[in-house]
Amino acid sequence: MKVLIFGDLFGRIWRNALIKEISSLKEKYKPDFVVVNGENMTSGRGPIEKHMNLVHDIWVDLFTSGDHCFDNEKNLLPYLESEDCKMIRPANFYESEYYQLPWEGYRIIEKNWKKLLVINLLSETFTRDHVYNPFLKADEILKSINKKIIEGNIKLNWVIIDFHKEVASEWYWMQEFLDWRVSFIFGTHTHIQTNDDNISEWWTWLLSDVGMVWAQKSIIGSDFGSLKKRFLTGIQKWKIEQSLDKNYIMNWVLVEIDDETMRCISIEKIKKLWNLDNY
Ligand SMILES: [Fe+2]
């Protein structure tokens, strides 16, 4: 089974880039599932409903998210509560009997008689929000799913995790901690595709960042000119604009996992430069 994974889609450019490319990429790679981190989909912030609705036309199976997931909560709420919702949020925000958040932190998606569990987690380190320990949360989710498998209530073919975070040490320890329980752990949020794909002692694979889809002449999608005064004066009050450069960089990863053993067989990292004028 193959999964095509994209990291953070930034702002306006992703809508042009992914919508134009997804059909040919699906034709070329023939993935069973397409999973995309969508937390920067609306001007670098969490998506609005209008942008999520575009998703249904471009055949993405599931969107993961991160620290920006509640940025446009009010606008997005009707979508989140609808049956069409294709987005999960980090599973390790605090919830209690006193306050429950909308939205799921993990989901099993199914296609062609194959089932994939996708878990989304957020780091505690250098992120704005205070979250429950992501290692313990992953352990709790996997144990509860395992219980359902043993009871015969569900079947699974694979497990992958989007661990949204800043610090590489947490990724690596997550791999060590969840070794043999998860097929593939990938990172998002640091935006640059890394070359540290690594298989653990038992078989869990890791890539600490799958990279993002962004305008080439930009700083993670932000226009150089609008950042000029910030960098040269140190004053941070000036508004950051999106880059509208028509050259853009798409990063993605194709992961192949054995259907029987849940082990990763291969991982292919791709970085491509495209130009919107070619269409
Ligand atoms: Fe993020």
Side-chain angles (χ1 to χ4, degrees):
M1 187 193 293
K2 292 179 190 169
V3 187
L4 195 61
I5 301 170
F6 290 84
D8 310 47
L9 304 178
F10 188 91
R12 222 168 293 171
I13 199 77
W14 78 265
R15 295 196 283 277
N16 295 318
L18 194 62
I19 289 170
K20 286 178 189 300
E21 304 302 340
I22 195 78
S23 299
S24 58
L25 292 178
K26 282 186 295 179
E27 187 59 38
K28 181 175 179 184
Y29 295 105
K30 300 192 172 19
D32 295 280
F33 297 101
V34 180
V35 175
V36 176
N37 185 297
E39 77 140 3
N40 300 129
M41 277 164 55
T42 299
S43 305
R45 295 166 64 80
I48 56 173
E49 185 177 7
K50 183 177 139 193
H51 294 160
M52 284 309 299
N53 285 333
L54 288 174
V55 170
H56 295 278
D57 299 328
I58 60 168
W59 196 81
V60 171
D61 294 292
L62 193 67
F63 277 77
T64 54
S65 189
D67 50 313
H68 287 293
C69 65
F70 289 109
D71 286 353
N72 285 305
E73 179 196 358
K74 269 191 188 158
N75 177 285
L76 197 61
L77 209 50
Y79 174 82
L80 298 179
E81 291 173 342
S82 74
E83 286 188 1
D84 288 338
C85 177
K86 284 190 175 181
M87 189 172 237
I88 57 173
R89 59 161 169 85
N92 56 322
F93 288 120
Y94 286 103
E95 290 186 274
S96 64
E97 62 181 293
Y98 306 107
Y99 196 82
Q100 291 287 314
L101 291 166
W103 222 348
E104 302 162 296
Y106 61 93
R107 186 182 292 181
I108 296 170
I109 50 178
E110 183 175 2
K111 199 191 288 172
N112 303 331
W113 301 281
K114 293 174 181 176
K115 290 187 176 181
L116 170 67
L117 168 63
V118 186
I119 301 172
N120 194 183
L121 296 166
L122 181 61
S123 164
E124 298 178 283
T125 310
F126 303 141
T127 45
R128 178 189 53 186
D129 303 307
H130 303 286
V131 292
Y132 180 66
N133 185 303
F135 307 100
L136 297 177
K137 190 67 188 181
D139 184 57
E140 288 167 16
I141 292 168
L142 290 169
K143 279 178 176 159
S144 78
I145 294 286
N146 205 32
K147 188 166 174 277
K148 288 177 186 166
I149 292 172
I150 290 167
E151 289 166 352
N153 293 331
I154 54 170
K155 284 185 177 167
L156 267 188
N157 298 102
W158 303 359
V159 182
I160 62 171
I161 294 181
D162 177 356
F163 190 13
H164 197 77
K165 56 173 297 307
E166 289 275 358
V167 185
S169 58
E170 286 184 298
W171 269 305
Y172 298 146
W173 202 77
M174 186 67 89
Q175 181 193 31
E176 175 72 16
F177 185 53
L178 301 180
D179 195 6
W180 73 260
R181 300 163 73 187
V182 173
S183 311
F184 182 55
I185 299 169
F186 65 97
T188 51
H189 182 74
T190 42
H191 303 118
I192 307 299
Q193 191 178 80
T194 56
N195 195 26
D196 59 348
D197 48 303
N198 178 34
I199 187 162
S200 61
E201 183 180 355
W202 290 102
W203 54 259
T204 296
W205 280 52
L206 169 139
L207 180 69
S208 64
D209 204 299
V210 298
M212 69 184 292
V213 178
W214 58 335
Q216 184 187 26
K217 193 176 177 184
S218 76
I219 299 174
I220 57 168
S222 302
D223 175 64
F224 280 121
S226 72
L227 288 159
K228 183 178 174 184
K229 286 194 281 188
R230 286 186 172 221
F231 276 110
L232 295 182
T233 67
I235 298 167
Q236 301 297 307
K237 71 165 195 157
W238 285 292
K239 193 168 179 267
I240 299 172
E241 306 285 345
Q242 279 189 59
S243 169
L244 297 178
D245 184 14
K246 288 186 175 179
N247 292 317
Y248 60 93
I249 297 168
M250 280 179 86
N251 292 129
W252 69 87
V253 169
L254 183 74
V255 185
E256 191 170 358
I257 306 176
D258 184 273
D259 289 350
E260 298 301 320
T261 63
M262 281 179 57
R263 292 179 185 215
C264 261
I265 300 166
S266 68
I267 171 171
E268 188 179 345
K269 306 180 294 288
I270 302 114
K271 174 187 172 186
K272 247 189 161 147
L273 184 65
W274 305 82
N275 187 299
L276 288 176
D277 284 336
N278 292 340
Y279 297 95

